[in-house]
Amino acid sequence: MEKGYEMAIEIKATGKAVPPQRVSNDDLAVRVDTSDEWIRSHTGIGARHIAADDTAGSDLAAEAAFNTLSMAAEGDDIPEKTIEEILPTIDLIVLGTTSPDYYGCPSTACVVQSKLGAKNAAALDINAACSSFIYGIETAAGMLSINEKRRRALIIGTEVLSRIVDWNDRSLCVLFGDGAGAVLVEKTRTEGRRGLLRTVLGADGTGAEHLIIRRGGGRSPIKDGETVKSHPHVEMNGQAVYNFAVKAVTETIEELLRLEGITIDDVSRIVPHQANARIVQAAAKRLDISEEKFFLNIEEYANTSAASIPIALDELNRKGEIRRGDIIMTVGFGAGLTYGGNLIVW
Ligand code: UT7
């Protein structure tokens, strides 16, 4: 390595894919015993987007990845000027999802690799539920850093949660939506601080029962003749997850700032997992951070689990609200229970 230059894992482009079918709270209230007033006041959600029956997580993921590569090709940051030129340079696809195309195998990442035609990419799924993107950046950074032959990775979060919610459970089905988000990262040599600065990751498996898809796995396989109601679906202890989430978000923000030796004023924006606006408000209040610092788009997309942070990052990026050199913080939590956050110099 040249003197004065350091290896960095930099985000080069972002993209998202959201299904066109938009279901507002009022639309939902026609078939579920709920109301716009309840959903908004308890969560900040105003709508969600739902995938068509023939759309799977890999379809949304591939679309988000193409949009990411298209941004990269149009920009000045990399020499390649078409998606076809970039694709063979992708060494790795790390994909987070809790609603994979197939349970077990093949991984959704491999399906996406095929859809993209990213022939030279190794591909794997990771499952840290809603924290998957945060875990995914760290996973990709480690895999790029450890092998000199790997340079570029796509990190994708994708979900079709509409397939794994029980539409008769009003306390749950109103919370979730479908979508995908992606980033292209590259291992570079730069002067000064750039790219991924630091990640905090954690888990508390003792809370596994609080947010769980019980059916369909080895613990509770589906037997012949069972009804649709027995199909895999999310079950949640909302209050327990809420309490865990506020603590996890608060402590992760504090930990990232402390370890990096910076203050909240050094951070341009915080991009939290979009699960419930009230969780963000509670953490902001505890830490005495302005709510404006947090980017929220939950009103439009609801909770898209592994996709929520990369979708939010892409929206912020395309709005021109992130400038080169800005420090961006991600923070999230999810089933597992898992939590974590990244500090990234854009
Ligand atoms: O990324 C995944 C992580 N998941 C989360 O972050 C979820 C964390 N938890 C939460 O966000 C909140 O706990 C919820 C939004 C899920 C629930 O909010 P809450 O304020 O804890 O409501 P609750 O479950 O205590 O329910 C309050 C009332 C109940 O009625 P009663 O018993 O007081 O008469 C529910 O039956 O609200 C009722 N209710 C609803 N009413 C209308 C629950 N869901 C609905 C609904 N519409 N959709």
Side-chain angles (χ1 to χ4, degrees):
M1 187 101 24
E2 291 159 57
K3 201 161 174 274
Y5 283 77
E6 291 195 13
M7 191 195 75
I9 304 295
E10 293 190 72
I11 292 183
K12 294 291 177 184
T14 61
K16 76 168 193 295
V18 175
Q21 191 195 351
R22 181 180 189 275
V23 178
S24 71
N25 293 341
D26 285 333
D27 295 334
L28 202 57
V30 172
R31 57 190 174 115
V32 177
D33 179 18
T34 189
S35 66
D36 179 58
E37 194 281 322
W38 190 96
I39 301 172
R40 278 186 193 276
S41 61
H42 285 74
T43 68
I45 294 168
R48 71 284 299 139
H49 291 244
I50 303 292
D53 287 347
D54 60 356
T55 300
S58 65
D59 299 311
L60 296 174
E63 190 183 332
F66 272 121
N67 290 337
T68 305
L69 299 182
S70 164
M71 177 189 278
E74 283 162 17
D76 300 326
D77 235 7
I78 65 172
E80 293 85 354
K81 288 293 157 244
T82 65
I83 292 178
E84 289 68 32
E85 281 171 26
I86 302 172
L87 277 171
T89 74
I90 309 283
D91 303 299
L92 177 66
I93 298 171
V94 176
L95 184 146
T97 187
T98 40
S99 46
D101 283 23
Y102 306 102
Y103 284 102
C105 64
S107 69
T108 304
C110 282
V111 181
V112 172
Q113 188 244 26
S114 162
K115 282 182 192 290
L116 294 175
K119 286 186 239 158
N120 298 322
L124 79 161
D125 284 2
I126 58 165
N127 182 355
C130 305
S131 312
S132 289
F133 184 78
I134 292 163
Y135 271 67
I137 290 193
E138 184 80 340
T139 303
M143 290 178 74
L144 294 182
S145 304
I146 204 158
N147 188 318
E148 61 181 27
K149 291 211 165 70
R150 294 190 201 114
R151 188 165 59 100
R152 285 185 179 154
L154 276 167
I155 303 149
I156 306 172
T158 188
E159 300 288 4
V160 281
L161 299 170
S162 58
R163 303 277 150 73
I164 55 166
V165 297
D166 175 356
W167 287 99
N168 295 309
D169 180 356
R170 70 171 182 175
S171 67
L172 205 119
C173 68
V174 303
L175 304 175
F176 295 104
D178 301 338
V183 299
L184 174 69
V185 297
E186 181 175 299
K187 182 172 64 181
T188 60
R189 287 185 301 165
T190 67
E191 259 182 311
R193 294 188 315 169
R194 295 220 74 83
L196 181 64
L197 287 184
R198 187 173 294 276
T199 297
V200 164
L201 299 177
D204 177 6
T206 64
E209 292 277 325
H210 293 323
L211 189 44
I212 190 164
I213 303 173
R214 229 173 274 279
R215 302 305 317 279
R219 178 70 60 192
S220 181
I222 293 167
K223 301 191 180 98
D224 283 352
E226 282 187 320
T227 63
V228 169
K229 275 196 170 166
S230 312
H231 281 182
H233 60 273
V234 182
E235 296 169 48
M236 181 170 73
N237 176 345
Q239 196 59 53
V241 177
Y242 185 95
N243 294 338
F244 170 82
V246 174
K247 189 167 180 289
V249 169
T250 307
E251 291 181 0
T252 300
I253 292 173
E254 284 178 328
E255 183 81 343
L256 282 168
L257 296 176
R258 187 183 64 76
L259 291 172
E260 198 53 37
I262 58 176
T263 73
I264 197 63
D265 294 335
D266 297 313
V267 175
S268 299
R269 295 302 289 266
I270 303 174
V271 180
H273 168 45
Q274 316 276 319
N276 186 333
R278 284 169 55 207
I279 292 171
V280 171
Q281 285 153 4
K285 195 168 171 200
R286 280 192 191 184
L287 292 167
D288 196 20
I289 299 174
S290 159
E291 280 179 37
E292 306 296 306
K293 190 79 118 181
F294 294 82
F295 178 73
L296 283 175
N297 61 4
I298 188 172
E299 186 178 11
E300 180 60 27
Y301 303 119
N303 180 349
T304 56
S305 189
S308 91
I309 289 175
I311 288 175
L313 273 179
D314 182 58
E315 288 215 322
L316 206 50
N317 193 20
R318 283 176 199 261
K319 281 180 178 184
E321 289 188 28
I322 313 182
R323 287 179 304 277
R324 200 169 161 79
D326 281 355
I327 297 181
I328 303 297
M329 180 189 284
T330 68
V331 63
F333 55 89
L337 298 167
T338 56
Y339 63 93
N342 317 106
L343 275 177
I344 301 159
V345 181
W346 208 257

